[in-house]
Amino acid sequence: MTTAALQTVLTVPERFRGPAGVANGGWLAGTLADALNGKRSAVEVTLHAPTPLDSELRLEHVANTVSLYDGDKLLVEAIPVAEDVAAPPFVAFTEAARAEAGFAGHRGHAFPECFACGLREPGDGLRIFPGPVDGDGLVAAGWRVPFTVADEDGVPASIVAAALDCVTGWAHFQPGESALLGRLAVQFHRDVIPGGAYSVVGRATGREGRKLFGESAVYEVDGTLVAAAQATWITPR
């Protein structure tokens, strides 16, 4: 006996791009995580191929898996994971905001149009610019959540996961360097409030060949953990 698939159509608006012409990996991860379990537990999202913008894609839900297809081509796949997602330590908002001055992307950005970390207009992109925190191997940024990313239910999981995404890369990148997100495990603990102020923190956790590993977190100003992610990036050949 086969399990019937629940299918819907997903179109990624151009606003939510990462590299030019393709969807932001964190936005995709949050979208599929929310489709899988509605923020209830940790979800691991694997990006198999770049996802096009402004195209009708097939979102398929079968048992404990949500997959995104362009025709018959598998683009993204999400599965639940039992383990909690580890988070880097808290950095106070004022210290995180000061760290932005050292953001490597200000001196060379491979993807300046990126929704999360790109040099977009305020209110359009998230403008999360993680820079090094003195002495402890962390990068951090202050995130002032624009009202323009909220819907009638608040700030979607897709936006929170986008905030968690790029900071794990910038924990590794020097100016002008880049990689593509290959996998992101995300876990949501609390809602993000439109107009709120949060610390976004990341750190590098290792490297293996072309793979870069990192973890990130969003914290409230009092240090309460809002969401966490663990990422695998793939560097160019």
Side-chain angles (χ1 to χ4, degrees), residues 85-97 128 133 136 138-145 160-161 163-164 167 187-193 195-203 215-230:
V85 175
F90 171 63
V91 174
F93 179 82
T94 52
E95 187 177 4
I128 296 173
V133 177
D136 51 15
L138 302 174
V139 295
W143 182 26
R144 303 152 191 85
V145 184
V160 181
L164 290 164
V167 62
Q187 187 171 16
F188 306 102
H189 299 281
R190 298 170 68 89
D191 290 337
V192 167
I193 307 303
Y198 297 84
S199 296
V200 180
V201 186
R203 67 176 169 191
E215 61 187 21
S216 61
V218 174
Y219 285 101
E220 294 183 353
V221 292
D222 65 356
T224 301
L225 179 63
V226 174
Q230 292 179 304

Side-chain angles (χ1 to χ4, degrees), residues 126-155:
L126 299 183
R127 295 177 60 85
I128 296 173
F129 302 143
V133 177
D134 290 342
D136 51 15
L138 302 174
V139 295
W143 182 26
R144 303 152 191 85
V145 184
F147 286 93
T148 55
V149 299
D151 58 23
E152 62 274 10
D153 298 317
V155 178

Side-chain angles (χ1 to χ4, degrees), residues 12 19 21-25 28-29 32 45-53 57 68-70 72-77 180-183 234:
V12 183
V22 298
N24 175 271
L28 285 170
L32 267 68
V45 181
T46 302
L47 290 85
H48 294 277
T51 295
L53 302 166
L57 308 170
L68 185 66
Y69 292 89
D70 185 4
D72 293 328
K73 182 179 183 179
L74 176 62
L75 301 174
V76 189
E77 187 174 36
L180 293 178
L181 185 68
R183 180 170 291 155
I234 311 297

